[in-house]
Amino acid sequence: MLLTPVTGARAASGAYNVELSPELNSAKDLCALVPCAEVFLGATSFSERIGQPPYVQAYGEPEAGKKKLLGYVMLSTDITDTPAYSGKPVVTLIGMDLTGHFVGVKVLKHSEPILLLGIPESALLNFNNQYIGKSVAEKIEVGQSRPDEGVLGVDAISGATVTVIAQNQVMMTSGTAVARQVGILAPTVREPARFVATGQRLSWEQLLKQGSVQRLLVKPEQVGLARGPEPFIELWFGDLNHPDVGTSLLGNNSWNNLRLQLKEGDSAFFVVRTAGIESFKGSGFVRGGIYDRIQVRQGADLFTFRDTDYLNLYGLEATGAPIFTESGIFVIRAKSFSAAHPWKLSFLGNRVDAATGTRSFTSFSSDYWLAPELLQGGRPVIVEPDAPWVQVWKSRAVGIAFFALLLIAVTVVYAFRETLTRRSTHKNKWPVNAFKYSAWALSIVFVGFGVMAQPSITQVLTWLHALLFNWTWSLFLSDPFLFLFWIFIILTVFLFGRGLFCGWLCPFGSLSEAIYKVGRSIGLKRFQGQLPRVWHDRLKWLKYFIFFGLLTVSMFSMGLAEILSEVEPFKTTFLVGITNRAWPYGLFVAAILGLSLFIERPYCKYICPLGAALAMPSTFRWFGLKRKQDCNSCKACAVGCGAQAIDADGRIDHRECLHCLDCMVLYTDVKGCPPLAKERKRRERDGLEITPIGRDGYFIPIHLVTADVSSQISSTAAKGPDPRMPTDPVARPYKAQAGGLKSLWLELVDHLWPWTAAGWKSQRALQIAGFSLALAATLAWALAATGRLSSSAIIGWWIGWSVYEVLIRLSGRRYVKDGPWWQGHYRYASIMDMLSYVGFKNLLIGAALFLALKALGLLVA
């Protein structure tokens, strides 16, 4: 999650993707580019970068003509590239005194996505301030202190667990790396490599297969340049310490000469450039003898190179070695480096944003580890710290297990809803309500206020952008409760519609409904009611406009979309708390919850953009609530529907239904359902058997003849529409005799080809314009595949085409499939049905094309 700047004077969004100096990670005078004095109060001057990894010395007022050393300042990305929630490192400036105690922390830049949940500035300030006065010699972890284990705990930020765990790793890794260099802590000691030498000479292909030579490729588009056939730079590198590898690459004489030039503890590796327009040597070695384009990282140690660490490489002797245009041998002069341990070569560059022209520092890395058969005893066992998201799952295992059981239990209970509703009546709904009210209570107390796992529209936007631009699993695994919750939501939305989540487990929805029920129980029932149907039917579209507005804004500015998503009261209610936010936010929440005393779930029905996002795929839920023919003339269920999701024809709109199950209770209630009550009274009067209620909602016939069922349906209902379908059924649009592969082919064509002969006759201009736009959108994808069009432009074209496809289908193919996809139930499509169908279909097609182009390396981000 998001870690924002921690200085009081700076706004929370001030460090989001800010432009830092392109020389930040290479300039000698670091403190000329960043405010070192803010993290080391009292220092009057600072040295240039020194050491490996680099750090800066902080000085006080001179004493006896000499500068007084006070401590050290370090830039986190000089030492570690630990990724935060976004998958990118948080650039942090850290101050440390001579005893190894932290004296200041400042976040310079982060690249986090929009918040999953809001985090107040004060919480971030308080988190980083916890390190002030603590020593790098202590074992500091996020969570409770454990004195018996020597662990000093720091408090986490609710809703930002992954960020603080990553930041803790950054603080401790950076601090200990510098502390070891300056003697505060003992230096890193790695067991030196003990090689297994066979004297075998290997070819280039064999070295590649063995892993003794690795490739580092940077494409032009990765640094903001136009895509072309030539890479930005292509490097090959490898170890020169192992006798077999070294002699295979250099030959016996050259390798022996190299060993004579190395001192005890030195290690060497080679680098060659085989393609590209960029130099790995850069120009720094000309100005100051510094090779500022390449670094080697091993664990927390960073190794940089000067001209004294460079040797000429004139040729590669391995059979099949490529022709190179630049070459060199670099020497690591540190005993802490071991050729037996894994390391990585980093190429440093600057990426130019094509849209804004801003430059940002970027590091491209490739891992290297000698093969096990080249080392005595094989590779050493390396214990790496768990990724932040793994630590979160481990630390909250009990809560995660309980939450997963809650989701499973609710799903199982709902799956047996018909059993529960048959045991209920309109006067006694406790067989259903006992489970539903329990789910509400757990949702409010445990899910909402406890683990703060309130889903949000910001997650929908974040996941959509991640899918299109930069998918990383760690982004979604970072909050285990939300990760599991979204799996539940996605599955149940397509099975049952949005109502199971919105009506049973949404923390804010449950809180709103609970307030309404409390209001009824304390005597406010006479003031409670619903909006007139005409106003409800107008206002229910508001949430869709809000959702589409946020989605559109997010394509241009994620930051602005985050601000506008405050239309959701979730942050203020559960994560931050009303008392921790400005009064307008608290007033907004109070107004919504206050209105909930008199109107059932007003926010859910009219404002919630998350509900709108989930409502659209609910159009294609597999299983709906049951209806019978008489529902088209009987208004009993519609009158009692709090969500007002039942229309005048008795049909349920599953985009609006919140699955209170009251209509399902009436469906089999022989005293509450008017058609059943009428039939029950007739049978009692005539002395006939009262049979159970069948699956069709009517009494099972006394004599198994169809007429017995038909006689239970009123003549008025029999002439009306079928309420079991959301809209009128449509005959299968394909040939009835088509089956198997032919049927699948016809359906595929139907999804991809929206034009029809009937539409061409009635709306020729629209069809021609749509065909032209389809060709333009296809051309746009082709341009994207050749690197001539950005992904943002593609999204614009795809949205434009989708809008036009809705119009074309409404004029010719005005139907959608209802229920499970393998069945052939088609029905008339309303405008909202068609928007949902086209939008969801083209989202899947677009995502597939995006992923395919990115996998082929063809799409410009």
Side-chain angles (χ1 to χ4, degrees):
M1 305 208 180
L2 184 63
L3 186 68
T4 49
V6 294
T7 56
R10 225 169 153 183
S13 60
Y16 179 74
N17 276 340
V18 299
E19 183 179 4
L20 299 176
S21 170
E23 306 298 324
L24 181 62
N25 284 75
S26 59
K28 287 185 177 180
D29 192 355
L30 172 67
C31 296
L33 304 177
V34 295
C36 295
E38 292 188 26
V39 298
F40 210 114
L41 300 178
T44 57
S45 62
F46 299 90
S47 73
E48 293 182 344
R49 272 188 171 107
I50 58 175
Q52 288 189 357
Y55 62 92
V56 168
Q57 292 180 326
Y59 300 107
E61 293 292 341
E63 293 183 358
K66 292 185 178 181
K67 292 182 178 180
K68 182 180 180 182
L69 179 63
L70 299 180
Y72 314 96
V73 174
M74 64 209 77
L75 184 68
S76 63
T77 49
D78 278 347
I79 302 167
T80 178
D81 55 0
T82 300
Y85 188 80
S86 64
K88 298 179 181 179
V90 174
V91 183
T92 308
L93 195 65
I94 305 167
M96 182 178 68
D97 66 16
L98 296 175
T99 62
H101 290 81
F102 295 110
V103 296
V105 187
K106 183 180 181 68
V107 173
L108 303 176
K109 177 183 178 180
H110 66 79
S111 301
E112 305 299 272
I114 59 178
L115 294 173
L116 292 186
L117 291 169
I119 302 171
E121 172 84 353
S122 59
L124 297 170
L125 280 167
N126 292 337
F127 174 76
N128 272 358
N129 286 341
Q130 292 178 92
Y131 289 90
I132 307 302
K134 290 183 172 61
S135 172
V136 293
E138 297 173 302
K139 187 177 181 180
I140 302 176
E141 294 182 2
V142 175
Q144 296 290 328
S145 295
R146 302 192 301 276
D148 54 328
E149 300 178 28
V151 173
L152 181 63
V154 290
D155 295 330
I157 301 174
S158 297
T161 309
V162 172
T163 297
V164 297
I165 288 177
Q167 187 68 354
N168 182 67
Q169 288 187 6
V170 167
M171 293 291 297
M172 300 310 297
T173 300
S174 301
T176 54
V178 173
R180 286 193 177 100
Q181 280 195 72
V182 299
I184 297 174
L185 298 177
T188 301
V189 177
R190 294 185 179 91
E191 185 179 354
R194 297 191 301 274
F195 301 122
V196 175
T198 63
Q200 182 182 7
R201 294 285 293 269
L202 304 174
S203 66
W204 183 262
E205 183 178 352
Q206 290 173 316
L207 290 168
L208 287 175
K209 185 176 181 180
Q210 190 182 62
S212 296
V213 173
Q214 295 291 341
R215 182 191 191 204
L216 197 164
L217 176 68
V218 181
K219 299 179 180 179
E221 58 269 25
Q222 291 178 280
V223 292
L225 301 179
R227 181 183 289 115
E230 184 78 3
F232 183 68
I233 192 168
E234 180 183 50
L235 301 178
W236 298 91
F237 66 98
D239 176 84
L240 291 176
N241 303 291
H242 193 285
D244 290 351
V245 176
T247 54
S248 297
L249 288 165
L250 303 182
N252 288 323
N253 291 336
S254 296
W255 186 76
N256 288 328
N257 289 334
L258 171 64
R259 301 311 302 170
L260 293 175
Q261 298 179 66
L262 299 181
K263 300 177 181 177
E264 184 180 356
D266 289 353
S267 300
F269 67 94
F270 83 96
V271 182
V272 296
R273 182 188 69 181
T274 54
I277 58 176
E278 184 64 6
S279 166
F280 71 78
K281 295 180 179 179
S283 57
F285 78 99
V286 177
R287 297 192 307 268
I290 298 175
Y291 291 91
D292 56 2
R293 298 293 176 86
I294 60 171
Q295 297 175 340
V296 166
R297 292 180 182 269
Q298 189 170 65
D301 295 325
L302 176 75
F303 305 99
T304 56
F305 305 98
R306 301 184 62 86
D307 50 4
T308 55
D309 305 318
Y310 170 82
L311 299 172
N312 288 321
L313 173 61
Y314 297 105
L316 292 173
E317 296 294 324
T319 304
I323 299 173
F324 53 82
T325 54
E326 191 175 43
S327 63
I329 295 174
F330 291 90
V331 180
I332 301 173
R333 304 186 189 279
K335 293 183 178 180
S336 59
F337 180 86
S338 172
H341 287 239
W343 53 278
K344 64 174 63 176
L345 177 70
S346 296
F347 173 80
L348 312 179
N350 288 291
R351 187 183 189 280
V352 179
D353 189 304
T356 63
T358 57
R359 297 167 65 88
S360 59
F361 171 77
T362 308
S363 175
F364 305 93
S365 299
S366 183
D367 295 326
Y368 189 93
W369 199 354
L370 282 174
E373 62 268 21
L374 301 178
L375 300 167
Q376 293 183 24
R379 288 173 172 174
V381 177
I382 307 297
V383 180
E384 297 285 353
D386 290 329
W389 70 265
V390 175
Q391 295 185 43
V392 173
W393 283 75
K394 288 182 176 179
S395 65
R396 311 191 74 177
V398 175
I400 292 169
F402 183 78
F403 183 65
L405 287 174
L406 172 63
L407 298 180
I408 294 171
V410 169
T411 305
V412 171
V413 167
Y414 188 80
F416 287 94
R417 62 192 178 280
E418 189 170 351
T419 301
L420 297 177
T421 56
R422 283 179 176 270
R423 294 176 180 272
S424 306
T425 67
H426 72 293
K427 291 185 178 181
N428 178 24
K429 299 177 184 176
W430 277 106
V432 171
N433 289 345
F435 291 102
K436 187 167 60 177
Y437 291 174
S438 297
W440 287 354
L442 289 170
S443 175
I444 297 168
V445 177
F446 173 63
V447 181
F449 290 107
V451 299
M452 300 179 184
Q454 168 70 64
S456 166
I457 189 61
T458 57
Q459 292 145 28
V460 176
L461 301 179
T462 299
W463 290 18
L464 176 61
H465 279 252
L467 179 66
L468 297 180
F469 300 116
N470 185 31
W471 179 274
T472 54
W473 275 107
S474 60
L475 176 67
F476 310 110
L477 290 166
S478 297
D479 191 315
F481 297 100
L482 282 172
F483 180 78
L484 294 176
F485 215 165
W486 273 105
I487 292 176
F488 167 84
I489 291 170
I490 291 169
L491 291 176
T492 57
V493 160
F494 283 103
L495 287 174
F496 311 117
R498 64 176 278 219
L500 181 55
F501 161 71
C502 293
W504 289 55
L505 279 177
C506 174
F508 190 83
S510 300
L511 179 62
S512 177
E513 180 82 2
I515 289 174
Y516 182 80
K517 299 294 185 185
V518 169
R520 173 171 293 186
S521 65
I522 62 176
L524 296 178
K525 183 177 181 179
R526 57 179 174 165
F527 301 109
Q528 294 179 331
Q530 299 176 339
L531 291 183
R533 187 75 195 195
V534 62
W535 281 106
H536 169 79
D537 287 341
R538 292 171 181 173
L539 290 177
K540 71 180 182 181
W541 301 110
L542 177 60
K543 60 181 176 287
Y544 296 100
F545 285 111
I546 294 173
F547 166 63
F548 283 116
L550 289 173
L551 180 62
T552 302
V553 170
S554 73
M555 294 297 175
F556 299 96
S557 172
M558 295 291 277
L560 180 58
E562 178 192 348
I563 294 172
L564 295 177
S565 70
E566 290 287 357
V567 70
E568 292 182 325
F570 308 152
K571 301 176 187 178
T572 304
T573 304
F574 296 110
L575 181 65
V576 181
I578 291 178
T579 58
N580 294 322
R581 302 208 76 183
W583 68 265
Y585 298 102
L587 181 62
F588 179 54
V589 172
I592 291 175
L593 295 181
L595 190 60
S596 298
L597 280 169
F598 308 101
I599 300 177
E600 189 172 348
R601 292 183 181 243
Y603 177 81
C604 306
K605 291 192 285 189
Y606 305 121
I607 302 176
C608 183
L610 175 63
L614 299 180
M616 296 181 71
S618 295
T619 304
F620 313 106
R621 80 282 165 278
W622 285 6
F623 308 109
L625 300 182
K626 290 190 172 182
R627 301 272 80 196
K628 52 188 149 191
Q629 187 66 32
D630 273 288
C631 291
N632 63 23
S633 57
C634 172
K635 309 299 180 185
C637 292
V639 171
C641 180
Q644 295 176 263
I646 303 177
D647 65 12
D649 293 326
R651 287 166 164 160
I652 297 177
D653 184 350
H654 286 277
R655 288 187 290 265
E656 302 299 321
C657 177
L658 299 178
H659 291 202
C660 66
L661 299 184
D662 285 357
C663 63
M664 286 286 288
V665 170
L666 279 177
Y667 184 77
T668 55
D669 186 354
V670 297
K671 294 183 178 180
C673 176
L676 293 182
K678 180 180 178 181
E679 174 66 12
R680 176 183 58 81
K681 291 177 181 177
R682 184 186 73 82
R683 292 191 178 191
E684 288 177 346
R685 184 182 65 247
D686 297 341
L688 300 176
E689 179 185 358
I690 306 297
T691 57
I693 305 300
R695 296 183 62 83
D696 59 0
Y698 293 100
F699 286 99
I700 294 174
I702 299 173
H703 304 290
L704 297 179
V705 292
T706 305
D708 220 18
V709 175
S710 300
S711 65
Q712 299 180 45
I713 302 175
S714 68
S715 59
T716 302
K719 297 176 183 178
D722 185 353
R724 291 170 294 184
M725 294 280 280
T727 54
D728 292 336
V730 172
R732 188 183 183 196
Y734 318 122
K735 293 181 180 180
Q737 66 271 23
L741 293 177
K742 184 177 181 181
S743 177
L744 291 175
W745 168 251
L746 289 173
E747 183 165 351
L748 179 63
V749 171
D750 187 63
H751 289 311
L752 300 179
W753 187 263
W755 298 276
T756 61
W760 191 266
K761 293 178 181 179
S762 62
Q763 300 283 344
R764 179 168 297 183
L766 178 68
Q767 302 286 321
I768 293 174
F771 193 77
S772 302
L773 187 59
L775 289 176
T778 303
L779 177 62
W781 281 107
L783 290 175
T786 57
R788 300 178 186 178
L789 202 65
S790 70
S791 56
S792 299
I794 279 292
I795 291 172
W797 274 105
W798 204 231
I799 291 175
W801 158 246
S802 298
V803 172
Y804 227 88
E805 185 182 352
V806 170
L807 299 176
I808 296 170
R809 287 185 177 273
L810 287 174
S811 68
R813 296 186 185 271
R814 192 160 185 161
Y815 52 80
V816 292
K817 191 175 265 191
D818 194 71
W821 66 270
W822 59 83
Q823 295 180 358
H825 299 158
Y826 290 85
R827 59 181 180 83
Y828 179 83
S830 66
I831 293 176
M832 195 63 210
D833 289 332
M834 193 59 71
L835 279 172
S836 300
Y837 164 70
V838 172
F840 188 72
K841 171 179 71 75
N842 285 353
L843 173 64
L844 293 180
I845 294 174
L849 289 172
F850 262 102
L851 294 175
L853 290 178
K854 286 198 294 185
L856 296 173
L858 298 175
L859 190 64
V860 179

